[in-house]
Structures are given as structure tokens and as C-alpha cells.
Amino acid sequence: LLGAICATLGVVLPSFVLISLIAFFLPRIMDYRVVQYAFFGIRAGVLALIVKAVISFWKRADHNAFSWVVMICAFLWSAILDWSAIALIALCGLAGFTFCLIQRKRGVMK
């Protein structure tokens, strides 16, 4: 147990400390043009990573009526209603879990 706690802290703590330091100093350095350009570049990189993840998930996903309904509802939820992404992820996970349970009871899934 102690080893697991130490390993978890060893993985989580450095990132937490670094992010906390950046958050503390960020308002002071955001006025510099170099920092603004760096964040502009980071945004482009993050967008590319998100697009890559979407394509990867799309290739592996089942393309059935349920997945299309969930995708459309998730898009509407996030784009139009502007609600919490965390709640969206939780609800989509719950919907998928429920769908799998129903499919298993019907004998469609193993």
C-alpha cells in the first residue's frame, strides 16, 4: 500500500507542482509577445491532437444508430447548450454502459 501511494505521488506530484507554478506566474508573463505567440502555437498543436484522437476513435467505433444518436446529442450539448464537458462525458459513458447492458441481456453482445 505504501509503495502504491509513493508511486502515485511520484507520478502526480511533479506535474501538479509544475502546473501550479505556471498558473501562479502566468498572469505576470502573459503581457510578453513571445508568450502570446507560444500559446497561439500550443493551441494549434492541441487542435491537431484533438483531431487525431477524433479520427482514431472514429475508425475504431461501431457505426450504428445508437452511436450516431449519442454523437449528435453530444455535439448539440457541447456546441449549442454550452454545458459542462465533464457532465457530457459522464452521461455519454453512462449511455454507452446502459446500451451494452441492454445488448448483453438481448444476447447481441458477448
Side-chain angles (χ1 to χ4, degrees):
L1 180 64
L2 181 60
I5 292 171
C6 289
T8 302
L9 287 176
V11 170
V12 173
L13 205 56
S15 298
F16 178 75
V17 169
L18 187 62
I19 291 170
S20 296
L21 285 172
I22 291 171
F24 180 74
F25 289 110
L26 193 61
R28 296 181 183 138
I29 62 171
M30 277 305 292
D31 293 334
Y32 295 110
R33 178 88 74 199
V34 174
V35 175
Q36 292 172 354
Y37 287 142
F39 275 98
F40 184 73
I42 289 170
R43 267 188 249 142
V46 168
L47 177 62
L49 290 173
I50 290 171
V51 168
K52 182 181 178 199
V54 166
I55 291 170
S56 173
F57 278 120
W58 180 261
K59 288 179 181 178
R60 291 186 290 158
D62 291 335
H63 299 285
N64 55 32
F66 174 77
S67 59
W68 279 98
V69 168
V70 169
M71 181 177 56
I72 291 167
C73 290
F75 174 77
L76 293 174
W77 183 318
S78 64
I80 295 172
L81 300 177
D82 196 30
W83 289 350
S84 169
I86 295 171
L88 173 65
I89 292 168
L91 283 175
C92 287
L94 182 63
F97 180 74
T98 305
F99 179 75
C100 286
L101 285 179
I102 292 170
Q103 293 295 331
R104 227 177 243 173
K105 282 187 178 182
R106 290 183 182 168
V108 177
M109 292 179 74
K110 292 182 180 179

